[in-house]
């Protein structure tokens, strides 16, 4: 079975991926609109399947190329250092952007248009944005590397990938579960307040997450250089 340290790492990466302000914002708009439970469920399911497919594809490539991801290998060290540099750059960009913009980020003004799209088109757009986000790509790659390093059997690897995909959807599953439990009318004030808070603080929170992950991956990369 996967070790406790592996689960801890997978949970941290999954939780970081789950904080996607654009997708959370879209989901909150869906949940205050028509057919919220049906549309929201499809939206979250699309996110979970996209995460599972991304990890599955990366694992297939890793197995096909016979990549080794133990501490100290060139592949592992290079991925850690590249990820640290990329996430540091994204964190700085988000931090500077939050200081320059007065009010919610510019992308929030396009969410109403996205939310009005037909559901299949909305799901396709959501998946495309999810797998094209640089910080998420680094985290998916790092997750796949951790699973390759663990050397799990294929059934356990598939099961662990499924659990990880649930980790990546935690912050989407919570409001959807709240809607299912208490209903749209009672949850509406909470959703509206949550949307306002998210839009006001998204850039700073993303920057903080990127800095934290950059520090972790940088430390892992330095340890890899020492081990190599």
């Amino acid at each position: 079975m996967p070790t406790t340290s592996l689960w801890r790492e997978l949970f941290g990466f999954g939780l970081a991926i789950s904080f996607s302000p654009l997708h959370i914002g879209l989901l909150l708009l869906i949940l205050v609109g028509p057919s919220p439970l049906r549309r929201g469920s499809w939206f979250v399911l699309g996110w979970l399947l996209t995460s599972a497919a991304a990890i599955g594809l990366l694992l297939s490539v890793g197995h096909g190329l016979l990549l080794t991801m133990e501490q100290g290998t060139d592949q592992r060290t290079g991925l850690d250092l590249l990820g640290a540099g990329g996430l540091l750059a994204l964190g700085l960009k988000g931090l500077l952007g939050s200081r320059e913009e007065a009010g919610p980020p510019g992308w929030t003004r396009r969410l109403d248009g996205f939310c009005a799209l037909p559901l299949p088109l909305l799901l396709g757009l959501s998946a495309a944005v999810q797998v094209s986000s640089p910080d998420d790509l680094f985290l998916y790659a790092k997750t796949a590397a951790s699973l390759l390093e663990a050397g799990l059997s294929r059934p356990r690897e598939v099961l662990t990938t499924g659990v990880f995909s649930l980790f990546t959807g935690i912050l989407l599953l919570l409001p959807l579960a709240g809607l299912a439990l208490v209903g749209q009318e009672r949850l509406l004030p909470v959703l509206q307040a949550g949307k306002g808070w998210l839009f006001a603080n998204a850039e700073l929170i993303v920057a903080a997450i990127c800095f934290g992950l950059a520090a972790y991956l940088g430390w892992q990369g330095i340890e890899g250089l020492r081990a190599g």
Side-chain angles (χ1 to χ4, degrees):
M1 289 296 290
T3 64
T4 301
S5 60
L6 176 61
W7 280 123
R8 187 164 54 243
E9 190 172 68
L10 295 183
F11 179 78
F13 293 155
L15 187 61
I17 291 173
S18 75
F19 189 79
S20 170
L22 187 147
H23 288 87
I24 296 173
L26 270 175
L27 178 63
L28 295 181
L29 287 174
I30 289 172
L31 296 184
V32 301
S35 304
L37 192 56
R38 179 182 67 84
R39 285 170 58 85
S41 296
W42 277 110
F43 185 81
V44 174
L45 180 61
W47 171 277
L48 298 178
L49 292 177
T50 300
S51 283
I55 294 298
L57 179 61
L58 289 169
L59 287 173
S60 297
V61 172
H63 287 305
L65 296 177
L66 301 177
L67 294 180
T68 58
M69 285 293 174
E70 287 77 14
Q71 190 84 29
T73 60
D74 292 341
Q75 298 95 327
R76 167 75 179 272
T77 302
L79 179 62
D80 287 341
L81 294 177
L82 180 63
L87 288 167
L88 180 61
L90 288 171
L92 289 172
K93 180 181 178 182
L95 183 61
L96 293 175
S98 67
R99 292 182 175 180
E100 292 174 358
E101 292 189 22
W107 55 263
T108 62
R109 294 186 284 273
R110 297 192 289 271
L111 290 186
D112 287 326
F114 292 155
C115 192
L117 293 173
L119 186 58
L121 188 57
L122 176 61
L123 296 180
L125 178 64
S126 169
V129 172
Q130 183 179 348
V131 297
S132 63
S133 171
D135 51 339
D136 286 353
L137 282 177
F138 283 127
L139 292 173
Y140 284 130
K142 179 62 178 173
T143 298
S146 296
L147 292 176
L148 289 171
E149 180 187 9
L152 304 175
S153 65
R154 290 304 172 87
R156 289 177 177 175
E157 191 174 79
V158 170
L159 177 61
T160 305
T161 297
V163 175
F164 172 76
S165 72
L166 290 176
F167 291 161
T168 70
I170 287 175
L171 296 182
L172 296 174
L173 287 166
L174 288 177
L176 184 64
L179 178 73
L181 290 173
V182 305
Q184 186 185 47
E185 185 175 345
R186 293 177 61 187
L187 196 63
L188 187 60
V190 178
L191 295 175
Q192 295 285 13
K195 184 180 70 171
W197 180 87
L198 175 70
F199 290 174
N201 298 282
E203 298 289 350
L204 284 175
I205 297 175
V206 169
I209 292 173
C210 286
F211 287 145
L213 289 169
Y216 173 73
L217 292 179
W219 170 70
Q220 289 276 291
I222 292 171
E223 289 295 309
L225 289 174
R226 291 174 176 173

